[in-house]
Amino acid sequence: MGEQFWWFYDVIVAAVVLICIFLTLRKGLLKASAAIVGYIFAVFISFSLSTTLAGSIAESALYGSNVKKMNFTIAENDYAAELCSQINGMGYYVTVNRDKIEQFYLSGEDVDHKIYDYIRHMNSKQLDDEETFTVKLHDCYAVSASNFIAKKLSPYSAEYAAEQIRKNPQKYWQFMQLLGDEYDTKPAAEFLVKNYVQPPYTTLIRLIIYLIAFVVLLLIFLAIAHSFSRNDHTENGFFTVSLRVIIGVGKAAAIILAIAVIIRLNVITGNDKMLFFNHEAIDKTYIFKYFYSFIRTW
């Protein structure tokens, strides 16, 4: 949804660049140079602050709460039944036994093969080869975990968990094995939060800190730059004009980076389903996608 509006992002980029160049050309070289220094410092300090503080803030403010929510979800829901429901929907026309599936994953060893061998004996004619089956089974792990997480936490954290489980399903076996202690589900909840839930929340906080720090620092640095360059006069030589154009582009890049942060926040909080704010539209852009990709992988 919204893919057809991919051009919207590049229009914003072009508008920001043109406005920044126009405003910079109206200033003297000294004032423009002082301003770009402020932009550079604002960007680098904001990156440093957000990277340093995000983890500790997420740990102190959200970790305990997220563990409690996941602990409640695990205690109040039947994970084995959820996984069995996903396996039954794989298209092999079988109805697996809940206790059997639970027995396999609680062993913590060779879980994929045990489930494959079990279903092979139930319907060998309809079954794919083991490699194809395993890929589908890993998707069952991912979806079942995502459904569990989404009951109490953000959709983005649920999507992130599913993505990580598909990449490393063997690690997820550890979570399923921890479910064996039905009287103490906290270790399972802590494993889920630490490995699959906390990173997305840390990313969210990092983006918010960056945005706040960038705006505040930029205002401070621009005020300082203005006070040091009150008597600066506009010069129209080829060299000074060219230099001011380059400075204008640099300022635009810093602003576009901040816009990318805002878009990323919207994608995260909107579960990548909002009009305009989705990866498919952004990936089609010519310029904006590079700024967004940087923020997305940061």
Side-chain angles (χ1 to χ4, degrees):
M1 185 177 183
E3 290 181 53
Q4 67 270 30
F5 298 107
W6 61 268
W7 50 267
F8 179 77
Y9 299 101
D10 279 343
V11 168
I12 292 177
V13 170
V16 171
V17 171
L18 291 175
I19 291 171
C20 286
I21 291 175
F22 173 75
L23 293 176
T24 305
L25 286 174
R26 296 181 61 187
K27 298 177 181 179
L29 183 58
L30 178 60
K31 185 177 290 188
S33 300
I36 192 62
V37 171
Y39 274 85
I40 293 171
F41 273 105
V43 168
F44 281 98
I45 294 175
S46 298
F47 269 121
S48 179
L49 279 176
S50 56
T51 302
T52 303
L53 298 177
S56 57
I57 292 176
E59 182 77 19
S60 60
L62 296 174
Y63 181 79
S65 173
N66 287 340
V67 169
K68 287 181 181 179
K69 291 176 181 178
M70 286 314 308
N71 193 29
F72 179 81
T73 298
I74 293 171
E76 294 297 314
N77 295 272
D78 188 346
Y79 175 79
E82 172 68 30
L83 180 57
C84 287
S85 176
Q86 296 299 325
I87 294 174
N88 290 337
M90 291 174 70
Y92 299 124
Y93 306 101
V94 297
T95 301
V96 297
N97 181 278
R98 177 206 173 280
D99 294 338
K100 275 284 187 182
I101 296 299
E102 184 178 49
Q103 176 187 339
F104 294 147
Y105 70 65
L106 288 181
S107 70
E109 297 178 358
D110 208 12
V111 179
D112 295 346
H113 180 72
K114 288 178 181 178
I115 296 177
Y116 175 78
D117 196 50
Y118 168 62
I119 295 179
R120 182 171 61 83
H121 284 89
M122 296 177 68
N123 188 356
S124 60
K125 293 182 179 180
Q126 297 291 336
L127 197 61
D128 291 311
D129 61 87
E130 187 167 2
E131 183 178 354
T132 302
F133 172 86
T134 301
V135 172
K136 293 182 178 180
L137 180 61
H138 292 168
D139 193 61
C140 290
Y141 296 159
V143 174
S144 59
S146 178
N147 290 344
F148 252 56
I149 292 171
K151 291 179 186 296
K152 294 291 181 181
L153 299 175
S154 74
Y156 176 67
S157 63
E159 287 186 356
Y160 174 86
E163 181 181 354
Q164 296 304 308
I165 291 167
R166 290 185 181 100
K167 290 179 179 178
N168 187 2
Q170 284 73 29
K171 184 177 182 179
Y172 186 65
W173 292 354
Q174 299 176 49
F175 163 72
M176 295 191 290
Q177 190 175 23
L178 289 170
L179 294 173
D181 188 351
E182 59 183 25
Y183 299 105
D184 185 10
T185 56
K186 187 176 180 180
E190 289 178 332
F191 182 91
L192 206 60
V193 170
K194 180 180 179 181
N195 291 282
Y196 304 120
V197 172
Q198 203 65 8
Y201 280 91
T202 301
T203 297
L204 183 65
I205 291 175
R206 183 166 61 242
L207 294 172
I208 292 172
I209 293 174
Y210 175 86
L211 201 58
I212 294 173
F214 175 75
V215 172
V216 172
L217 289 170
L218 185 59
L219 290 174
I220 293 172
F221 286 131
L222 289 181
I224 295 172
H226 180 74
S227 66
F228 277 102
S229 54
R230 289 177 180 174
N231 298 321
D232 191 23
H233 299 288
T234 303
E235 300 175 16
N236 294 317
F238 176 79
F239 175 76
T240 57
V241 170
S242 299
L243 199 54
R244 278 181 284 164
V245 169
I246 295 172
I247 290 172
V249 172
K251 290 160 65 175
I255 294 173
I256 295 167
L257 200 62
I259 292 173
V261 171
I262 295 172
I263 299 299
R264 181 62 179 158
L265 283 170
N266 276 279
V267 169
I268 290 175
T269 56
N271 192 27
D272 195 27
K273 299 294 188 292
M274 295 175 65
L275 185 65
F276 297 124
F277 304 128
N278 61 74
H279 293 149
E280 289 78 10
I282 294 171
D283 289 341
K284 290 184 177 182
T285 62
Y286 290 102
I287 302 173
F288 184 76
K289 64 182 178 183
Y290 296 107
F291 289 90
Y292 185 79
S293 178
F294 175 78
I295 294 299
R296 188 179 178 183
T297 56
W298 166 40

